[in-house]
Amino acid sequence: LSKMSITNTPTSNDACLSIVHSLMCHRQGGESETFAKRAIESLVKKLKEKKDELDSLITAITTNGAHPSKCVTIQRTLDGRLQVAGRKGFPHVIYARLWRWPDLHKNELKHVKYCQFAFDLKADNVCVNPYHYERVVSPGIDLSGLTLSSTLMVKDEYEFENQPSHSGADGHHQTIQHQPSRPGGPQESFNSQTLLPPPEGSSSASTSAFSSLAAGASTPDYWCSIAYFEMDVQVGETFKVPASCPTVTVDGYVDPSGGDRFCLGQLSNVHRTEAIERARLHIGKGVQLECKGEGDVWVRCLSDHAVFVQSYYLDREAGRAPGDAVHKIYPSAYIKVFDLRQCHRQMQQQAATAQAAAAAQAAAVAGNIPGPGSVGGIAPAISLSAAAGIGVDDLRRLCILRMSFVKGWGPDYPRQSIKETPCWIEIHLHRALQLLDEVLHTMPIADPQPLD
């Protein structure tokens, strides 16, 4: 009899598959199953030749660190980071999140004294034994924020590459998980402004300019409008939410819609398939959207199933390019998905960039600026045309949220786009669209012209 059949704990002599399966049972659930499996498989394969270290890992994880264990090492990469499923992160952080603290920030780990290959020691090998590190709160992070892991967890989810990876769909649209906050946390009164540092480049001057600009316009009568889709077809009329109802519920029931409640159960669609019908049954209590302050938006998932959100605000919080990720919001999680000030700043920056690029392009075409081939020429025409190619539609996208019920999309799912999901909504935020109008009045952008 092997040791495994008696204790159910594998040893380094067992098959990789059995070891991975056993270690998967101890994960903390902050990552998708696909990501966790790839991260663990990759580690077990690297340790297959170092049986004592593999045994140390198995002991540490399966006993939750109850027994002392040796260093578990992998080779340090050139930039110190490890790539798993198209995402890059520091190896000791990846495995500490996987098996100990799902909401860990990368600056919060400190190695124990007896660890000989700790990440900070800069040796050729790096210890990834999660029980060789302790969690310390880094300066600048308010501990009360840790009860709000749904927001802070994505603050530094991973060190992502600036460029999308070219290994197919893998590095694009990764699903980022947002778990509910720990019970008893002061979620309701949470104000992100007090916990998170102001975004880079924001200054009191731009804030006061924003306030005076905001004061100039009257608030729209409706704070948002919601369109419901099944695959790529809009079903029913667009539902407008009056400013007098800052909280609106979108659910799967058949009551008549009105005021602060949009019921999707009573909408009919002649093209509805059996798969869509099945998915609709799981919408249940759906989601609650809440408009706070002048136009920030928070989402609470009331359904028994997760919802999947496209949000430029969450992308930015997770260090991703806008539109590059899908955010999975778990049942009972309450999370901010839109920030009006950040959106306004992005609009102004993009409009200014587009305007400057268009002017430079026009000058280049007219021959007033030395071409890219000559000495001291302007940036290559391709990047210029890309910047000049920012159209009004690109700016409108900043003011729109999209959310799919029950089914996700992206590389972790068979559906590549939200338009392939069975039931989803698109939310147009009117205050943001109003600000966009004002930005476009001061900085008009021509619709992109094709280059000759």
Side-chain angles (χ1 to χ4, degrees):
L1 279 176
S2 76
K3 181 182 169 195
M4 182 172 177
S5 57
I6 301 167
T7 63
N8 281 338
T9 303
T11 71
S12 56
N13 296 319
D14 285 296
C16 280
L17 214 64
S18 318
I19 299 172
V20 169
H21 178 75
S22 172
L23 296 177
M24 278 288 280
C25 298
H26 292 269
R27 66 197 179 97
Q28 293 299 304
E31 293 294 348
S32 70
E33 190 169 349
T34 318
F35 180 85
K37 196 160 183 234
R38 291 227 200 144
I40 295 172
E41 275 171 352
S42 139
L43 181 57
V44 169
K45 281 179 186 158
K46 285 179 182 146
L47 297 173
K48 235 0 202 168
E49 302 306 310
K50 301 192 274 190
K51 290 194 183 304
D52 56 333
E53 292 190 22
L54 184 49
D55 280 323
S56 273
L57 176 73
I58 295 167
T59 303
I61 302 307
T62 56
T63 65
N64 296 330
H67 298 295
S69 51
K70 299 190 189 109
C71 284
V72 175
T73 63
I74 60 173
Q75 201 167 359
R76 182 184 291 272
T77 57
L78 283 174
D79 68 353
R81 297 183 298 169
L82 179 70
Q83 180 149 338
V84 177
R87 291 158 57 177
K88 276 199 162 188
F90 293 116
H92 62 313
V93 177
I94 290 178
Y95 294 107
R97 276 185 185 147
L98 207 57
W99 283 307
R100 292 192 74 182
W101 306 285
D103 58 350
L104 179 73
H105 185 280
K106 72 170 195 286
N107 298 333
E108 292 179 327
L109 283 185
K110 184 179 148 208
H111 63 270
V112 294
K113 285 196 182 72
Y114 52 83
C115 181
Q116 297 171 299
F117 295 96
F119 183 82
D120 294 339
L121 300 178
K122 302 274 191 289
D124 287 346
N125 288 328
V126 179
C127 177
V128 294
N129 182 338
Y131 292 94
H132 277 204
Y133 294 89
E134 287 165 352
R135 186 174 187 174
V136 291
V137 177
S138 57
I141 289 199
D142 181 340
L143 234 190
S144 64
L146 295 178
T147 55
L148 309 159
S149 55
S150 55
T151 302
L152 284 179
M153 187 169 136
V154 297
K155 189 74 189 132
D156 197 325
E157 181 67 17
Y158 271 82
E159 290 295 294
F160 290 100
E161 290 296 75
N162 294 334
Q163 301 300 322
S165 84
H166 296 288
S167 56
D170 225 7
H172 191 59
H173 270 320
Q174 209 75 37
T175 311
I176 295 174
Q177 321 258 327
H178 301 265
Q179 304 281 0
S181 307
R182 299 198 183 102
Q187 308 162 297
E188 307 305 322
S189 59
F190 173 53
N191 172 357
S192 64
Q193 303 302 320
T194 56
L195 282 180
L196 304 178
E200 292 149 45
S202 71
S203 65
S204 52
S206 69
T207 309
S208 60
F210 182 92
S211 306
S212 59
L213 178 127
S218 60
T219 313
D221 295 338
Y222 297 94
W223 71 266
C224 76
S225 51
I226 306 170
Y228 168 65
F229 293 83
E230 291 175 358
M231 312 293 272
D232 58 354
V233 177
Q234 183 174 348
V235 177
E237 298 291 311
T238 298
F239 182 79
K240 289 185 169 180
V241 185
S244 58
C245 299
T247 302
V248 60
T249 305
V250 183
D251 61 40
Y253 300 122
V254 295
D255 302 346
S257 298
D260 63 354
R261 191 168 170 212
F262 184 18
C263 296
L264 307 176
Q266 37 97 16
L267 300 174
S268 56
N269 171 12
V270 291
H271 304 293
R272 187 171 291 153
T273 62
E274 209 178 311
I276 295 174
E277 197 65 81
R278 274 200 308 274
R280 278 168 53 83
L281 293 174
H282 294 294
I283 296 172
K285 293 179 182 172
V287 292
Q288 203 173 54
L289 304 169
E290 190 178 348
C291 181
K292 287 192 173 188
E294 206 195 334
D296 294 352
V297 179
W298 289 65
V299 166
R300 176 176 270 119
C301 178
L302 303 173
S303 171
D304 292 337
H305 294 265
V307 292
F308 296 82
V309 177
Q310 190 174 52
S311 150
Y312 287 3
Y313 168 76
L314 286 178
D315 292 343
R316 186 168 167 156
E317 290 292 288
R320 302 300 293 265
D324 192 41
V326 179
H327 300 269
K328 181 176 184 178
I329 299 184
Y330 282 82
S332 76
Y334 176 59
I335 190 162
K336 183 177 181 176
V337 292
F338 180 79
D339 183 291
L340 188 69
R341 284 173 187 245
Q342 186 207 77
C343 174
H344 184 240
R345 265 197 307 276
Q346 266 178 306
M347 280 173 201
Q348 288 178 313
Q349 284 164 0
Q350 289 193 17
T353 306
Q355 210 181 27
Q361 203 178 42
V365 171
N368 298 342
I369 298 180
S374 63
V375 181
I378 54 169
I382 183 95
S383 61
L384 200 63
S385 66
I390 296 174
V392 175
D393 278 351
D394 297 291
L395 295 177
R396 278 179 66 83
R397 265 184 220 122
L398 299 172
C399 313
I400 294 171
L401 293 166
R402 286 174 155 188
M403 188 180 300
S404 163
F405 294 98
V406 188
K407 301 289 184 186
W409 77 96
D412 296 335
Y413 299 91
R415 298 160 292 275
Q416 285 312 298
S417 135
I418 196 169
K419 290 182 178 179
E420 294 169 37
T421 63
C423 35
W424 59 281
I425 53 176
E426 184 169 86
I427 303 144
H428 289 240
L429 302 168
H430 295 188
R431 183 68 185 107
L433 289 163
Q434 189 182 40
L435 287 177
L436 176 58
D437 275 350
E438 292 172 16
V439 167
L440 292 173
H441 277 301
T442 53
M443 285 186 273
I445 19 182
D447 270 325
Q449 296 300 315
L451 281 176
D452 295 333

